[in-house]
Amino acid sequence: MSDKIPEGNRSARERLAQQREQEKGREKRRRTLIVASAVVGVLGLAAVVGLIAANVNKDSGEDTASGPAIAPSGASGEDALTLPVGAADAPSTLTIWEDFRCPVCAQFENALRESVSELVNDGQVKVEYHLATIIDGNLGGSGSLRAANAAACAQDAGKFAPYHDVLFSNQPPEPDDAYGRNSRLIELAGKVQGLDTPEFRSCVEDGDHDSWVKKSDTAFREGGFQGTPTVLLNGESVFPSKDGEQISPAALKKWVLAANKGKKPGTTAPSDPDAPAPSSASSSSASPEGSATADGSATPSPQGDGPGEPAAPSSAAGS
């Protein structure tokens, strides 16, 4: 049998092999094009996501603290971490550490606000507010930081106390990070006469006091406190109880008046001449369950052993 392949068959096989090589080349180019398109698509998607994130963060102001801690106007005490309310020479001092996302803080404020306001107005006590952000750390989000910065911006405007009250009266549920949106904080500023100004909005949106808030939170964590709210009367813890007696409006007044026995009420204004008078929202906002506060919002009843008795502190600092 001859080993020679007819010329016609050889040409057919060569043409077939050539076609296969051409098909392989086309397939290779097609796959390369698909991969390249996918890479471009991913990069494009990343750019879109980055743009969306940038816009979201502009509203949330998430973690804009990068510069020096700028204390708000009128802040006092060590490292200027205290926001004072009331007569500077009042015979007693109520020190309060709070987180604007902390539900027990809201219970304390809504139950005791009227009594604290009365004691402040009578010159019996001055209040030194300190801000913490432990709920952000425990649950995620930035509402504690954002709200604290906004409160510091309100302090710049001489309206810390009423805005503080509005934030607690309108506090969202603990898992809801609504206060992480600057737009919500600015919206609530409309409930305080004269607060919603271009200066206030800029301060909130730019996070002017973010580093200061973080410094305050560090002081809270290093202070050995167990949670928020932490409430001290002349350095002694009175929340949730003192000497076995649960805190209540009547109990707080009794403790303050006992501490002030024989002492004159304070009359000297806070060190900052532009600092606010005691909260105007305070005088009528501690109302029974279901009634309206001064800003028109419903006041939740405290969760305690009896009327006007808030629950134990929320969210331990180390948890």
Side-chain angles (χ1 to χ4, degrees):
M1 179 179 292
S2 174
D3 292 332
K4 293 183 179 181
I5 300 175
E7 187 65 27
N9 291 344
R10 180 181 291 112
S11 298
R13 290 182 180 182
E14 289 175 352
R15 287 196 301 272
L16 181 60
Q18 187 177 14
Q19 289 175 357
R20 288 176 177 172
E21 288 300 322
Q22 291 174 347
E23 289 176 358
K24 287 180 180 180
R26 286 195 295 269
E27 179 66 17
K28 183 177 181 180
R29 289 193 297 273
R30 187 178 70 84
R31 289 180 180 178
T32 300
L33 181 61
I34 291 174
V35 171
S37 300
V39 171
V40 171
V42 169
L43 292 177
L45 178 60
V48 172
V49 171
L51 179 61
I52 293 172
N55 289 333
V56 169
N57 287 341
K58 183 176 180 181
D59 182 49
S60 68
E62 186 172 350
D63 200 358
T64 57
S66 57
I70 302 174
S73 175
S76 61
E78 185 176 358
D79 293 329
L81 296 178
T82 300
L83 300 179
V85 173
D89 61 343
S92 284
T93 300
L94 195 64
T95 303
I96 303 177
W97 288 86
E98 294 179 312
D99 181 328
F100 286 109
R101 287 182 70 186
C102 162
V104 183
C105 295
Q107 292 171 11
F108 166 80
E109 283 293 336
N110 294 330
L112 277 295
R113 185 179 297 130
E114 185 175 5
S115 298
V116 171
S117 178
E118 182 180 334
L119 291 167
V120 168
N121 288 331
D122 291 344
Q124 296 295 329
V125 69
K126 63 177 178 288
V127 184
E128 296 184 343
Y129 288 99
H130 297 265
L131 307 181
T133 62
I134 62 174
I135 304 299
D136 284 356
N138 291 348
L139 296 182
S142 61
S144 300
L145 173 63
R146 300 266 43 80
N149 172 69
C153 295
Q155 171 71 15
D156 286 335
K159 297 181 182 295
F160 167 76
Y163 187 63
H164 160 278
D165 292 353
V166 165
L167 289 177
F168 277 120
S169 295
N170 293 272
Q171 184 189 74
E174 188 176 15
D176 181 356
D177 195 31
Y179 283 174
R181 300 193 302 273
N182 289 330
S183 56
R184 176 57 175 160
L185 298 169
I186 291 172
E187 177 187 3
L188 289 175
K191 295 179 177 289
V192 178
Q193 185 175 6
L195 178 57
D196 187 4
T197 63
E199 292 78 13
F200 174 79
R201 290 188 173 216
S202 176
C203 180
V204 171
E205 291 171 347
D206 294 343
D208 284 0
H209 299 298
D210 281 1
S211 292
W212 177 84
V213 172
K214 290 193 171 185
K215 189 173 183 178
S216 179
D217 182 65
T218 297
F220 171 78
R221 294 174 185 276
E222 293 178 350
F225 304 115
Q226 297 302 307
T228 54
T230 289
V231 184
L232 310 174
L233 176 60
N234 299 325
E236 180 184 1
S237 177
V238 295
F239 186 90
S241 62
K242 176 182 180 298
D243 298 330
E245 182 178 4
Q246 190 83 3
I247 194 171
S248 67
L252 179 62
K253 289 181 181 179
K254 179 181 70 174
W255 299 335
V256 170
L257 294 178
N260 292 351
K261 188 174 183 180
K263 300 177 183 178
K264 294 181 179 180
T267 57
T268 304
S271 57
D272 178 13
D274 295 325
S279 170
S280 59
S282 300
S283 59
S284 61
S285 56
S287 49
E289 181 179 6
S291 62
T293 64
D295 62 29
S297 60
T299 301
S301 60
Q303 303 295 319
D305 295 334
E309 298 178 353
S314 161
S315 304
S319 61

